[in-house]
Amino acid sequence: CADAAMQQAKDSGRGNRQFYQPGMDVRAMEVLQQERLLREAIADNAFVLHYQPQICLKDGTLRGFEALVRWRHPVRGLVGPIEFIAFAESRGLITPIGRWVLHEACRQLKAWQDEGLALVPVAVNLSALEFRQRDVAGEIAAALQATGLAPQYLEIELTESVLMHQTGQVLDTLQALKDLGVGISIDDFGTGYSSLAYLKRYPIDKLKIDRSFVMDTPGSADDVAIVTAIVQMGRSLQLKTVAEGVETAEQMALLRRLDCDLVQGHLVSEPMDAPAIRQWLLGPSARTAA
Ligand code: C2E
Ligand code: MG
Ligand code: MG
Ligand code: MG
């Protein structure tokens, strides 16, 4: 096994700037092994999207899905994005994964629409690095074109770190998405370091209140105050608010009282694979989950 790993290190050393050293430690070997597996996964499209419903707090109807990527790992089974997105970025491998996610989410939503199911948008996550490195607007236009999905059924989730850099390029890209008709959400809202000024500078549609603020409500008075303030600010700025990570009926009741627009979380549904979502859409739960 160690020999095989060394051979891989030598092999991958040819194309990349990695050279086997006798003293190379186990950790470095693991990184190379992981990188090789991830390259194979990209070549084989060994990823799958799970979808998590977003529900309207007022009437309990389905209003959208978030697409969340998983890696079908040959040994470890389904591996979540926390364990490979940052790694993929560090190895220069995020672009093909991000492209696959975008295309697959659009394709799946269109397939559900063609069946008469799910006339709601799908949200796709883009990391700050992806946003900087890729021609996001061009790729999104191409994915919509290729799959036939109408632009109003696609949303992009960005974190505040994307908006931190006050570049004309960020504004141009967001404006291009807006012009296409694609929705823009701020993910993990409240956890970034950016100034709130971006809320007026950029064409944003939704704020997703980070799970860390929702988690300890209604017990924590501080968190209730923060969530209340975000929902009120959202309303004043005409942005929709989505609470992430809603797990309890008490959290849901609070959010409803505050007039938050949408909820997403395990209380309604965990992220599910496409066949499970399809069943969910066919059943009564899709309409009465809240
Ligand atoms: P996120 O965009 O904030 O997604 C929400 C995460 O919270 C998901 O974790 C979801 O499974 C989890 N979650 C939802 N409801 C609950 C709940 O009630 N309780 C708890 N404890 N967790 C809940 P997941 O799928 O592991 O994704 C983690 C992060 O990975 C995402 O956070 C997103 O930042 C990133 N990610 C996921 N898919 C992609 C992708 O295709 N591209 C990129 N660049 N990043 C992605
Ligand atoms: Mg997200
Ligand atoms: Mg989030
Ligand atoms: Mg989050």
Side-chain angles (χ1 to χ4, degrees):
C1 178
D3 284 345
M6 283 180 199
Q7 190 56 47
Q8 271 155 29
K10 287 183 196 164
D11 289 344
S12 64
R14 271 173 214 139
N16 303 306
R17 304 178 127 267
Q18 296 147 356
F19 300 98
Y20 171 70
Q21 305 282 328
M24 192 180 252
D25 61 10
V26 174
R27 172 73 196 133
M29 292 298 207
E30 280 170 6
V31 168
L32 288 177
Q33 164 78 353
Q34 177 90 340
E35 177 175 339
R36 188 181 62 81
L37 286 174
L38 197 53
R39 283 184 191 279
E40 281 174 17
I42 291 165
D44 300 345
N45 286 335
F47 300 96
V48 62
L49 292 184
H50 284 191
Y51 299 87
Q52 189 174 34
Q54 295 177 347
I55 297 291
C56 172
L57 263 168
K58 271 207 189 67
D59 60 14
T61 54
L62 178 73
R63 293 304 171 90
F65 293 108
E66 178 172 7
L68 297 156
V69 70
R70 281 91 180 85
W71 172 10
R72 290 189 218 265
H73 193 283
V75 181
R76 295 160 60 204
L78 272 196
V79 173
I82 301 296
E83 292 180 64
F84 69 91
I85 293 287
F87 180 77
E89 289 185 335
S90 75
R91 313 311 286 179
L93 297 174
I94 189 65
T95 295
I97 299 173
R99 282 206 189 108
W100 180 86
V101 168
L102 179 63
H103 192 277
E104 175 60 15
C106 293
R107 187 203 62 74
Q108 180 62 72
L109 199 74
K110 181 66 164 66
W112 282 330
Q113 291 185 343
D114 288 348
E115 269 194 83
L117 300 166
L119 288 168
V120 295
V122 67
V124 169
N125 293 279
L126 277 183
S127 69
L129 187 79
E130 293 184 88
F131 194 86
R132 277 200 305 277
Q133 288 186 344
R134 293 165 53 189
D135 169 17
V136 167
E139 278 180 33
I140 286 172
L144 292 169
Q145 172 83 36
T147 58
L149 184 70
Q152 68 266 30
Y153 293 112
L154 181 64
E155 292 176 3
I156 298 301
E157 294 196 3
L158 303 170
T159 54
E160 290 165 278
S161 52
V162 171
L163 311 171
M164 224 162 61
H165 312 279
Q166 299 187 25
T167 65
Q169 201 212 330
V170 171
L171 183 58
D172 288 350
T173 301
L174 294 182
Q175 196 55 54
L177 295 182
K178 199 77 212 158
D179 293 345
L180 270 177
V182 169
I184 300 167
S185 304
I186 304 304
D187 206 350
D188 306 339
F189 183 74
T191 61
Y193 300 100
S194 56
S195 116
L196 289 174
Y198 74 78
L199 290 176
K200 58 178 189 180
R201 193 174 331 121
Y202 297 130
I204 291 158
D205 302 295
K206 267 188 189 174
L207 300 180
K208 298 193 72 180
I209 307 168
D210 191 64
R211 185 171 75 86
S212 61
F213 301 121
V214 174
M215 205 160 66
D216 295 327
T217 61
S220 156
D222 288 347
D223 287 312
V224 171
I226 290 171
V227 172
T228 304
I230 296 175
V231 171
Q232 282 175 358
M233 184 177 66
R235 192 181 310 122
S236 311
L237 293 170
Q238 286 164 315
L239 304 171
K240 285 226 178 318
T241 45
V242 186
E244 298 193 275
V246 176
E247 294 182 350
T248 70
E250 290 74 23
Q251 291 166 351
M252 181 96 106
L254 170 77
L255 291 159
R256 187 176 284 124
R257 203 156 62 239
L258 294 178
D259 219 6
C260 180
D261 297 296
L262 307 172
V263 287
Q264 179 181 343
H266 292 172
L267 182 65
V268 175
S269 168
E270 295 193 10
M272 295 184 280
D273 65 13
I277 285 284
R278 191 174 169 281
Q279 284 310 308
W280 190 85
L281 289 169
L282 291 168
S285 59
R287 282 168 296 280
T288 59

